[in-house]
PDB file of all heavy atoms in Angstrom:
ATOM      1  N   HIS L  66       1.316  -0.167   0.694  1.00 98.00           N
ATOM      2  CA  HIS L  66       1.377   0.561   1.968  1.00 98.00           C
ATOM      3  C   HIS L  66       0.626  -0.311   2.971  1.00 98.00           C
ATOM      4  O   HIS L  66      -0.562  -0.204   3.218  1.00 98.00           O
ATOM      5  CB  HIS L  66       0.605   1.910   1.828  1.00 98.00           C
ATOM      6  CG  HIS L  66       0.810   2.789   2.984  1.00 98.00           C
ATOM      7  ND1 HIS L  66       1.537   3.976   2.989  1.00 98.00           N
ATOM      8  CD2 HIS L  66       0.201   2.766   4.239  1.00 98.00           C
ATOM      9  CE1 HIS L  66       1.465   4.581   4.123  1.00 98.00           C
ATOM     10  NE2 HIS L  66       0.613   3.871   4.940  1.00 98.00           N
ATOM     11  N   PHE L  67       1.438  -1.280   3.593  1.00 98.00           N
ATOM     12  CA  PHE L  67       0.753  -2.311   4.366  1.00 98.00           C
ATOM     13  C   PHE L  67       1.200  -2.147   5.828  1.00 98.00           C
ATOM     14  O   PHE L  67       2.371  -2.275   6.225  1.00 98.00           O
ATOM     15  CB  PHE L  67       1.334  -3.648   3.828  1.00 98.00           C
ATOM     16  CG  PHE L  67       0.444  -4.861   4.300  1.00 98.00           C
ATOM     17  CD1 PHE L  67      -0.757  -5.045   3.726  1.00 98.00           C
ATOM     18  CD2 PHE L  67       1.023  -5.790   5.158  1.00 98.00           C
ATOM     19  CE1 PHE L  67      -1.563  -6.169   4.094  1.00 98.00           C
ATOM     20  CE2 PHE L  67       0.175  -6.898   5.547  1.00 98.00           C
ATOM     21  CZ  PHE L  67      -1.065  -7.121   5.035  1.00 98.00           C
ATOM     22  N   HIS L  68       0.190  -1.902   6.676  1.00 96.00           N
ATOM     23  CA  HIS L  68       0.458  -1.835   8.155  1.00 96.00           C
ATOM     24  C   HIS L  68       0.021  -3.209   8.603  1.00 96.00           C
ATOM     25  O   HIS L  68      -1.118  -3.587   8.851  1.00 96.00           O
ATOM     26  CB  HIS L  68      -0.363  -0.820   8.827  1.00 96.00           C
ATOM     27  CG  HIS L  68       0.041   0.644   8.475  1.00 96.00           C
ATOM     28  ND1 HIS L  68       1.248   1.124   9.035  1.00 96.00           N
ATOM     29  CD2 HIS L  68      -0.432   1.614   7.753  1.00 96.00           C
ATOM     30  CE1 HIS L  68       1.442   2.370   8.651  1.00 96.00           C
ATOM     31  NE2 HIS L  68       0.384   2.679   7.824  1.00 96.00           N
ATOM     32  N   PHE L  71      -2.051  -3.632  12.041  1.00 91.00           N
ATOM     33  CA  PHE L  71      -3.185  -2.762  12.360  1.00 91.00           C
ATOM     34  C   PHE L  71      -4.508  -3.583  12.341  1.00 91.00           C
ATOM     35  O   PHE L  71      -4.631  -4.459  11.491  1.00 91.00           O
ATOM     36  CB  PHE L  71      -3.316  -1.641  11.337  1.00 91.00           C
ATOM     37  CG  PHE L  71      -2.400  -0.465  11.619  1.00 91.00           C
ATOM     38  CD1 PHE L  71      -1.288  -0.580  12.411  1.00 91.00           C
ATOM     39  CD2 PHE L  71      -2.651   0.779  10.980  1.00 91.00           C
ATOM     40  CE1 PHE L  71      -0.410   0.553  12.611  1.00 91.00           C
ATOM     41  CE2 PHE L  71      -1.815   1.849  11.249  1.00 91.00           C
ATOM     42  CZ  PHE L  71      -0.714   1.780  12.027  1.00 91.00           C
ATOM     43  N   SER L 114       4.602  -0.669   5.694  1.00 97.00           N
ATOM     44  CA  SER L 114       4.780   0.749   6.229  1.00 97.00           C
ATOM     45  C   SER L 114       5.202   0.619   7.698  1.00 97.00           C
ATOM     46  O   SER L 114       5.754  -0.341   8.103  1.00 97.00           O
ATOM     47  CB  SER L 114       3.444   1.487   5.946  1.00 97.00           C
ATOM     48  OG  SER L 114       3.690   2.868   6.310  1.00 97.00           O
ATOM     49  N   SER L 115       4.908   1.679   8.497  1.00 96.00           N
ATOM     50  CA  SER L 115       5.381   1.604   9.879  1.00 96.00           C
ATOM     51  C   SER L 115       4.707   0.453  10.651  1.00 96.00           C
ATOM     52  O   SER L 115       3.627   0.077  10.438  1.00 96.00           O
ATOM     53  CB  SER L 115       5.112   2.961  10.558  1.00 96.00           C
ATOM     54  OG  SER L 115       3.729   3.300  10.383  1.00 96.00           O
ATOM     55  N   GLU L 144       8.290   4.075  12.595  1.00 96.00           N
ATOM     56  CA  GLU L 144       8.226   5.473  11.949  1.00 96.00           C
ATOM     57  C   GLU L 144       9.225   6.447  12.627  1.00 96.00           C
ATOM     58  O   GLU L 144       9.075   6.576  13.858  1.00 96.00           O
ATOM     59  CB  GLU L 144       6.769   5.972  12.029  1.00 96.00           C
ATOM     60  CG  GLU L 144       6.654   7.247  11.234  1.00 96.00           C
ATOM     61  CD  GLU L 144       5.285   7.394  10.528  1.00 96.00           C
ATOM     62  OE1 GLU L 144       4.704   6.315  10.196  1.00 96.00           O
ATOM     63  OE2 GLU L 144       4.815   8.484  10.287  1.00 96.00           O
ATOM     64  N   LYS L 195      10.746   4.030   7.239  1.00 98.00           N
ATOM     65  CA  LYS L 195       9.634   4.955   7.154  1.00 98.00           C
ATOM     66  C   LYS L 195       9.926   6.142   8.015  1.00 98.00           C
ATOM     67  O   LYS L 195      10.374   6.035   9.165  1.00 98.00           O
ATOM     68  CB  LYS L 195       8.324   4.188   7.668  1.00 98.00           C
ATOM     69  CG  LYS L 195       7.158   5.076   7.907  1.00 98.00           C
ATOM     70  CD  LYS L 195       6.302   5.355   6.558  1.00 98.00           C
ATOM     71  CE  LYS L 195       5.163   6.322   6.678  1.00 98.00           C
ATOM     72  NZ  LYS L 195       4.033   5.768   7.345  1.00 98.00           N
ATOM     73  N   HIS L 202      -3.093  14.611   6.521  1.00 89.00           N
ATOM     74  CA  HIS L 202      -3.590  13.428   5.756  1.00 89.00           C
ATOM     75  C   HIS L 202      -4.791  12.806   6.503  1.00 89.00           C
ATOM     76  O   HIS L 202      -4.733  12.606   7.695  1.00 89.00           O
ATOM     77  CB  HIS L 202      -2.587  12.392   5.394  1.00 89.00           C
ATOM     78  CG  HIS L 202      -3.171  11.293   4.540  1.00 89.00           C
ATOM     79  ND1 HIS L 202      -3.628  11.558   3.297  1.00 89.00           N
ATOM     80  CD2 HIS L 202      -3.368   9.969   4.777  1.00 89.00           C
ATOM     81  CE1 HIS L 202      -4.097  10.449   2.786  1.00 89.00           C
ATOM     82  NE2 HIS L 202      -3.984   9.456   3.603  1.00 89.00           N
ATOM     83  N   ARG L 233      10.733   5.548   2.780  1.00 98.00           N
ATOM     84  CA  ARG L 233       9.334   6.022   2.484  1.00 98.00           C
ATOM     85  C   ARG L 233       8.947   7.093   3.484  1.00 98.00           C
ATOM     86  O   ARG L 233       9.372   7.065   4.690  1.00 98.00           O
ATOM     87  CB  ARG L 233       8.316   4.837   2.491  1.00 98.00           C
ATOM     88  CG  ARG L 233       7.971   4.313   3.861  1.00 98.00           C
ATOM     89  CD  ARG L 233       7.011   3.070   3.659  1.00 98.00           C
ATOM     90  NE  ARG L 233       5.957   3.424   2.776  1.00 98.00           N
ATOM     91  CZ  ARG L 233       5.221   2.455   2.131  1.00 98.00           C
ATOM     92  NH1 ARG L 233       5.462   1.220   2.326  1.00 98.00           N
ATOM     93  NH2 ARG L 233       4.201   2.876   1.357  1.00 98.00           N
ATOM     94  N   HIS L 235       5.849   9.686   5.066  1.00 97.00           N
ATOM     95  CA  HIS L 235       4.555  10.293   5.293  1.00 97.00           C
ATOM     96  C   HIS L 235       4.702  11.782   4.896  1.00 97.00           C
ATOM     97  O   HIS L 235       5.223  12.560   5.567  1.00 97.00           O
ATOM     98  CB  HIS L 235       4.115  10.125   6.745  1.00 97.00           C
ATOM     99  CG  HIS L 235       2.858  10.777   7.130  1.00 97.00           C
ATOM    100  ND1 HIS L 235       1.670  10.025   7.079  1.00 97.00           N
ATOM    101  CD2 HIS L 235       2.438  12.075   7.387  1.00 97.00           C
ATOM    102  CE1 HIS L 235       0.627  10.838   7.411  1.00 97.00           C
ATOM    103  NE2 HIS L 235       1.140  12.099   7.600  1.00 97.00           N
ATOM    104  N   ASP L 254       4.442   8.813   0.440  1.00 98.00           N
ATOM    105  CA  ASP L 254       3.172   8.379   0.890  1.00 98.00           C
ATOM    106  C   ASP L 254       2.116   9.543   0.998  1.00 98.00           C
ATOM    107  O   ASP L 254       2.423  10.640   1.450  1.00 98.00           O
ATOM    108  CB  ASP L 254       3.295   7.664   2.207  1.00 98.00           C
ATOM    109  CG  ASP L 254       3.863   6.272   2.159  1.00 98.00           C
ATOM    110  OD1 ASP L 254       3.321   5.489   1.349  1.00 98.00           O
ATOM    111  OD2 ASP L 254       4.891   6.009   2.763  1.00 98.00           O
ATOM    112  N   HIS L 255       1.017   9.258   0.420  1.00 97.00           N
ATOM    113  CA  HIS L 255      -0.119  10.286   0.545  1.00 97.00           C
ATOM    114  C   HIS L 255      -0.159  11.368  -0.476  1.00 97.00           C
ATOM    115  O   HIS L 255      -0.999  11.551  -1.259  1.00 97.00           O
ATOM    116  CB  HIS L 255      -0.385  10.762   2.022  1.00 97.00           C
ATOM    117  CG  HIS L 255      -0.231   9.654   3.032  1.00 97.00           C
ATOM    118  ND1 HIS L 255      -0.929   8.477   2.934  1.00 97.00           N
ATOM    119  CD2 HIS L 255       0.499   9.620   4.178  1.00 97.00           C
ATOM    120  CE1 HIS L 255      -0.632   7.706   3.969  1.00 97.00           C
ATOM    121  NE2 HIS L 255       0.163   8.356   4.775  1.00 97.00           N
ATOM    122  N   SER L 277      -3.010   6.640  -1.796  1.00 97.00           N
ATOM    123  CA  SER L 277      -3.730   6.229  -0.596  1.00 97.00           C
ATOM    124  C   SER L 277      -4.912   7.139  -0.235  1.00 97.00           C
ATOM    125  O   SER L 277      -5.019   7.658   0.846  1.00 97.00           O
ATOM    126  CB  SER L 277      -2.797   6.120   0.560  1.00 97.00           C
ATOM    127  OG  SER L 277      -2.191   7.348   0.879  1.00 97.00           O
ATOM    128  N   ASP L 343      -3.037   1.512   1.181  1.00 97.00           N
ATOM    129  CA  ASP L 343      -3.601   2.553   2.016  1.00 97.00           C
ATOM    130  C   ASP L 343      -3.502   2.112   3.477  1.00 97.00           C
ATOM    131  O   ASP L 343      -3.070   1.030   3.812  1.00 97.00           O
ATOM    132  CB  ASP L 343      -5.090   2.807   1.560  1.00 97.00           C
ATOM    133  CG  ASP L 343      -5.521   4.187   1.752  1.00 97.00           C
ATOM    134  OD1 ASP L 343      -5.141   4.790   2.861  1.00 97.00           O
ATOM    135  OD2 ASP L 343      -6.222   4.758   0.900  1.00 97.00           O
ATOM    136  N   ASP L 344      -4.159   2.931   4.374  1.00 93.00           N
ATOM    137  CA  ASP L 344      -4.007   2.651   5.815  1.00 93.00           C
ATOM    138  C   ASP L 344      -5.070   1.625   6.266  1.00 93.00           C
ATOM    139  O   ASP L 344      -5.970   2.035   7.038  1.00 93.00           O
ATOM    140  CB  ASP L 344      -4.106   3.965   6.612  1.00 93.00           C
ATOM    141  CG  ASP L 344      -2.839   4.732   6.509  1.00 93.00           C
ATOM    142  OD1 ASP L 344      -1.754   4.108   6.519  1.00 93.00           O
ATOM    143  OD2 ASP L 344      -2.887   6.005   6.566  1.00 93.00           O
ATOM    144  N   TYR L 345      -4.922   0.430   5.764  1.00 93.00           N
ATOM    145  CA  TYR L 345      -5.870  -0.615   6.180  1.00 93.00           C
ATOM    146  C   TYR L 345      -5.612  -1.022   7.570  1.00 93.00           C
ATOM    147  O   TYR L 345      -4.520  -1.089   8.086  1.00 93.00           O
ATOM    148  CB  TYR L 345      -5.751  -1.785   5.209  1.00 93.00           C
ATOM    149  CG  TYR L 345      -6.408  -1.441   3.863  1.00 93.00           C
ATOM    150  CD1 TYR L 345      -5.652  -1.032   2.814  1.00 93.00           C
ATOM    151  CD2 TYR L 345      -7.789  -1.401   3.705  1.00 93.00           C
ATOM    152  CE1 TYR L 345      -6.165  -0.660   1.632  1.00 93.00           C
ATOM    153  CE2 TYR L 345      -8.373  -0.994   2.532  1.00 93.00           C
ATOM    154  CZ  TYR L 345      -7.497  -0.590   1.414  1.00 93.00           C
ATOM    155  OH  TYR L 345      -8.066  -0.265   0.299  1.00 93.00           O
TER     156      TYR L 345
HETATM  157 ZN1   ZN Y 501       0.185   4.460   6.872  1.00 81.85          ZN
END
Side-chain angles (χ1 to χ4, degrees):
H66 189 107
F67 197 73
H68 288 289
F71 277 19
S114 188
S115 47
E144 185 142 333
K195 171 85 188 279
H202 185 62
R233 73 183 311 157
H235 177 95
D254 284 305
H255 315 312
S277 62
D343 212 320
D344 283 325
Y345 290 97

